[in-house]
Amino acid sequence: MPDRLFVRYFPESDSLQWLMYDGEGNVKLRGEGPPETFADRTAEMNWSGSVSALLPGETVLLTSADIPTRQRRQIQQAVPYMVEDDLATEVEQCHFAIGERLPDGEISVAAIERGTLDQILERLSAAGLAPGSMKLDTLCVPFDGTTSVLIEHGRVHVKTGPASGLSLETALAGTALGLLPEDAAVSVVTCADGGDAGEVLVAQLEAETDGAAQVDVSDAEGLDLLCANYGQSELDLLQGEYEVDEVTAVDSNGWSLVWKLGVAVFALQVLLFAGEGLYLGTLADQYDADARALYARTFPKDRNVRDVRARWQSHLRGGGGEKGGFLQVFGAAVRHLPGSSLDAQNVNFNESRGDLILQLEAPRSEQLVGFSQTLGDAGLTAEIGTINQAEDQVKGSIKVRLQ
């Protein structure tokens, strides 16, 4: 049977913990240190199996969103804007992972900065690690429906729900535990590596709950318990663009037959579709360049635009402005064009003022005036700008805004 490797990476200290089980569930390798140390320890070691990663809970934002739809694609599109107010950075700079639907109907969500996640994956890759999944240690704490506290070496985890909680250093845990409701049912597990600090925290909890806290002492270390409960957490950070197939180290010291066959098939596909791939890549680059150029001409004051599509959508919504967004003003105005004998030649929108400028063409100037009055009767503010008489047509502009 294959081995199974668990690793927990701490970005702030660039330290890694690893725990490997053999096919029978026995500990095969254990240690901690920089990722390079793990690479050195396993350089001459034969092992095969999956890699499962853990991150400290404080690395991400845990929240939830009320999204009625059950279609995952629609949920993925809605989540960034539903939790935008909870973020400390721009939506475009964050990666969102979606978990299970909670008992109250909301969707559990984890948000992490893309730059942070990219750096984490790069450091793991430098150690020869390509995890097939990545979860939070906070959510791997055993949970029985009550507030669950797990005390391990240097860290305390408080899990308050199926997909909610916090993790922090032992030195800061006393204050956090003191904020728990007095009547809260609390289950506490002290791990074998909890140390004296763990005993102090248990005494504090027992005092604050008048002895009502249920305290268990485990012979296992903290990482062992978290890994044993790894499968109970459904919130995996490796979703969307970061999603990977389950990665298995079939032969850590050389190419196995499976890998050789896979590489051969891949190489054949590359040769067969190289021409098509180059063409599509060039076409995609051209479309991307055209889209960015069009955006730059339309919104010349915007800088450092990473996600053009998201910015377009934001401008079309009007950025939440008080005078209404483009779609709202445009929809209210153009619904009166059919049957008016007017042709729209151009449309401009001033996002800061909420003004929509319609360049129109009509047989007679009276029709432009009549259309302006129609918009006014519909509850819009409409002002005629310019009217120019051509040979058999009249061209003019009307400025429209919501009242």
Side-chain angles (χ1 to χ4, degrees):
M1 295 181 66
D3 304 323
R4 186 169 189 187
L5 173 64
F6 293 91
V7 295
R8 177 164 56 169
Y9 179 68
F10 296 89
E12 290 190 2
S13 59
D14 191 32
S15 61
L16 185 73
Q17 292 179 324
W18 55 88
L19 179 61
M20 184 186 295
Y21 296 96
D22 62 20
E24 298 180 356
N26 300 312
V27 176
K28 185 175 181 179
L29 181 68
R30 179 195 298 273
E32 60 181 293
E36 290 78 9
T37 301
F38 171 82
D40 293 339
R41 289 282 303 276
T42 56
E44 303 297 330
M45 180 180 175
N46 289 320
W47 67 278
S48 62
S50 62
V51 180
S52 302
L54 283 163
L55 287 184
E58 59 269 30
T59 309
V60 308
L61 168 68
L62 279 176
T63 185
S64 60
D66 184 10
I67 304 176
T69 182
R70 298 268 176 186
Q71 297 186 16
R72 189 168 183 83
R73 182 177 180 181
Q74 294 180 357
I75 293 174
Q76 290 172 332
Q77 293 173 342
V79 157
Y81 303 102
M82 296 297 292
V83 304
E84 184 174 5
D85 292 341
D86 298 333
L87 303 176
T89 185
E90 296 292 332
V91 169
E92 294 84 357
Q93 298 177 8
C94 291
H95 166 67
F96 299 91
I98 300 170
E100 69 268 37
R101 189 173 290 275
L102 303 174
D104 62 2
E106 294 196 349
I107 297 291
S108 59
V109 179
I112 182 173
E113 289 193 28
R114 294 180 185 276
T116 300
L117 184 54
D118 290 338
Q119 291 175 5
I120 290 171
L121 293 173
E122 287 177 7
R123 292 297 290 139
L124 293 179
S125 177
L129 297 169
S133 60
M134 182 175 290
K135 301 183 180 182
L136 306 177
D137 56 5
T138 308
L139 300 186
C140 290
V141 172
F143 183 70
D144 59 3
T146 63
T147 299
S148 300
V149 179
L150 188 143
I151 303 173
E152 60 169 324
H153 177 65
R155 289 174 61 75
V156 176
H157 311 279
V158 183
K159 190 172 183 180
T160 56
S164 62
L166 72 158
S167 299
L168 62 167
E169 297 178 359
T170 304
L172 304 175
T175 302
L177 295 178
L179 299 177
L180 292 175
E182 294 182 0
D183 57 347
V186 181
S187 300
V188 184
V189 176
T190 303
C191 302
D193 56 347
D196 295 339
E199 296 179 2
V200 173
L201 289 175
V202 169
Q204 176 185 341
L205 270 173
E206 290 180 328
E208 293 178 353
T209 60
D210 294 328
Q214 178 182 345
V215 180
D216 294 317
V217 179
S218 175
D219 294 332
E221 296 186 7
L223 184 59
D224 298 65
L225 287 179
L226 295 173
C227 294
N229 204 52
Y230 189 88
Q232 299 303 312
S233 173
E234 297 185 22
L235 214 165
D236 184 356
L237 291 177
L238 300 185
Q239 300 180 17
E241 63 187 283
Y242 294 97
E243 186 173 2
V244 295
D245 294 329
E246 184 67 22
V247 179
T248 303
V250 178
D251 182 354
S252 61
N253 287 319
W255 290 102
S256 67
L257 179 60
V258 174
W259 281 106
K260 290 179 180 179
L261 290 175
V263 171
V265 172
F266 177 77
L268 179 60
Q269 290 177 334
V270 170
L271 291 175
L272 290 174
F273 298 107
E276 182 180 3
L278 290 173
Y279 169 75
L280 293 177
T282 302
L283 194 61
D285 290 341
Q286 184 61 47
Y287 284 157
D288 181 72
D290 291 344
R292 291 183 177 276
L294 177 60
Y295 183 91
R297 292 195 301 269
T298 308
F299 304 104
K301 294 182 179 181
D302 279 12
R303 297 290 185 270
N304 300 322
V305 178
R306 294 183 59 185
D307 191 335
V308 174
R309 179 181 178 183
R311 289 293 183 89
W312 270 118
Q313 292 175 340
S314 176
H315 284 294
L316 288 176
R317 291 195 306 270
E322 297 179 355
K323 296 183 180 297
F326 167 75
L327 293 180
Q328 187 178 6
V329 183
F330 182 74
V334 299
R335 70 180 60 178
H336 302 285
L337 278 176
S340 65
S341 300
L342 300 176
D343 292 327
Q345 302 298 311
N346 195 10
V347 177
N348 290 297
F349 183 69
N350 188 306
E351 184 180 356
S352 61
R353 296 196 301 268
D355 291 341
L356 179 74
I357 308 298
L358 295 175
Q359 301 288 342
L360 302 171
E361 188 174 89
R364 300 186 311 275
S365 60
E366 292 83 1
Q367 291 172 311
L368 289 173
V369 176
F371 182 67
S372 176
Q373 294 173 345
T374 300
L375 295 180
D377 293 339
L380 300 171
T381 298
E383 301 175 7
I384 295 178
T386 60
I387 296 180
N388 297 317
Q389 180 71 50
E391 293 182 1
D392 56 351
Q393 293 288 328
V394 176
K395 296 183 179 180
S397 64
I398 298 180
K399 180 169 66 176
V400 185
R401 71 165 68 91
L402 298 181
Q403 291 186 356

